[in-house]
């Protein structure tokens, strides 16, 4: 069973029981986070883009854990030259790891690093659970194609608005993706992205054939799914 551990904002871990996959490490300046970078244990680290609220603790966690970094080449180049536990990818590419297969998909957002692009990840785990993390993104029509290529069980989507999709667009994304479940993230970190997740849940479940799972920072969710 895969467990989703939420650290607030857009930082979370997917734990297979054998491998720990950390996404977008932002803890030190994240008031929602209940742990410090020095507390994190992970085997893999995925970075969707290089904005501070997704990258700020990446170097520190890499130094402590030496996880495999999965990111675009421009982000990998931000790490010290001697850091060799890396796997560079780019949009549309897939790679196989011990836990399953990862496909890097587009995100419609700025990159935070010169020459780079923002991205999302579709993770097809060995137990056939499929998780889509959109990264920071606007709504875009190719989400429909992402949902057509694989049956997505869980989508992890931003709802905060201002910097990313808001409630209505994230609900439309869930509809286009044909996802079974949605976990909303990237909200209530600062006043400019304050949202009531129960409003997203009500609206998304009214227009899409999905269930919304609200996970509070510091809490976890076992990713069980049922075929619809």
């Amino acid at each position: 069973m895969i467990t989703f551990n939420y650290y607030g904002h857009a930082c979370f871990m997917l734990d297979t029981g054998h491998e720990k996959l950390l996404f977008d490490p932002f803890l030190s300046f994240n008031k929602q986070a209940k742990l410090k970078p020095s507390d994190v244990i992970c085997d893999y680290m995925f970075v969707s883009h290089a904005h501070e609220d997704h990258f700020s603790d990446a170097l520190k966690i890499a130094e402590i854990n030496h996880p495999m970094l999965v990111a675009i080449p421009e982000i990998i180049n931000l790490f010290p030259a001697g850091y060799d536990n890396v796997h560079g990818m780019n949009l549309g590419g897939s790679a196989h790891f011990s836990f399953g297969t990862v496909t890097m998909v587009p995100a419609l957002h700025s990159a935070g690093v010169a020459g780079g692009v923002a991205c999302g990840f579709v993770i097809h785990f060995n137990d056939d659970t499929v998780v889509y993390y959109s990264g920071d993104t606007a709504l875009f029509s190719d989400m429909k194609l992402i949902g057509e290529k694989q049956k997505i069980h869980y989508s992890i989507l931003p709802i905060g608005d201002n910097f990313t999709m808001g409630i209505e667009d994230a609900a439309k994304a869930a509809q286009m993706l044909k996802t079974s479940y949605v976990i909303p993230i990237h909200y209530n970190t600062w006043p400019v992205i304050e949202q009531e997740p129960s409003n997203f849940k009500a609206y998304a479940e009214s227009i899409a054939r999905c269930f919304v799972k609200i996970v509070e920072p510091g809490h976890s969710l076992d990713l069980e799914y049922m075929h619809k």
Side-chain angles (χ1 to χ4, degrees):
M1 179 182 296
I2 298 155
T3 301
F4 170 88
N5 300 300
Y6 188 37
Y7 304 131
H9 196 57
C11 183
F12 62 92
M13 183 178 290
L14 296 176
D15 188 346
T16 69
H18 301 285
E19 304 98 343
K20 297 179 185 296
L21 288 59
L22 179 69
F23 290 78
D24 285 355
F26 174 55
L27 299 166
S28 297
F29 302 103
N30 178 359
K31 294 181 179 179
Q32 297 179 341
K34 301 183 185 301
L35 77 169
K36 298 177 292 188
S38 57
D39 299 326
V40 175
I41 298 173
C42 60
D43 304 294
Y44 295 85
M45 183 164 60
F46 293 78
V47 179
S48 66
H49 63 293
H51 288 160
E52 183 179 355
D53 58 325
H54 294 255
F55 181 75
S56 61
D57 290 309
L59 296 175
K60 189 178 299 183
I61 291 172
E63 182 180 356
I64 295 169
N65 278 269
H66 203 68
M68 177 174 285
L69 169 66
V70 182
I72 61 170
E74 290 82 0
I75 287 178
I76 288 173
N77 289 339
L78 298 176
F79 282 68
Y83 194 83
D84 57 359
N85 193 17
V86 300
H87 187 100
M89 297 184 68
N90 220 311
L91 303 182
S94 296
H96 302 287
F97 300 95
S98 60
F99 56 84
T101 300
V102 173
T103 302
M104 183 177 280
V105 295
L108 200 58
H109 193 72
S110 53
V113 59
V117 293
C119 74
F121 302 96
V122 178
I123 307 103
H124 192 140
F125 287 95
N126 291 331
D127 71 352
D128 285 334
T129 301
V130 179
V131 177
Y132 167 53
Y133 170 44
S134 70
D136 280 11
T137 189
L139 177 68
F140 60 100
S141 60
D142 279 357
M143 286 181 172
K144 183 177 180 181
L145 180 60
I146 293 171
E148 287 175 354
K149 289 194 68 177
Q150 295 200 67
K151 169 59 181 174
I152 298 171
H153 302 119
Y154 278 85
S155 291
I156 302 168
L157 304 177
I159 66 166
D161 215 345
N162 196 77
F163 301 112
T164 69
M165 299 184 291
I167 284 176
E168 291 186 4
D169 281 359
K172 181 64 177 178
Q175 184 183 50
M176 293 169 65
L177 291 161
K178 296 183 179 179
T179 185
S180 298
Y181 297 93
V182 178
I183 301 171
I185 62 168
H186 205 285
Y187 65 94
N188 291 352
T189 320
W190 309 289
V192 74
I193 59 170
E194 284 185 359
Q195 296 289 353
E196 175 48 65
S198 62
N199 292 341
F200 170 70
K201 176 179 173 68
Y203 185 60
E205 292 183 349
S206 74
I207 70 166
R209 296 184 64 245
C210 70
F211 300 100
V212 174
K213 300 289 188 179
I214 299 169
V215 182
E216 296 295 330
H219 291 253
S220 301
L221 177 70
D222 290 333
L223 302 190
E224 298 180 281
Y225 66 87
M226 58 183 179
H227 294 286
K228 298 174 66 177

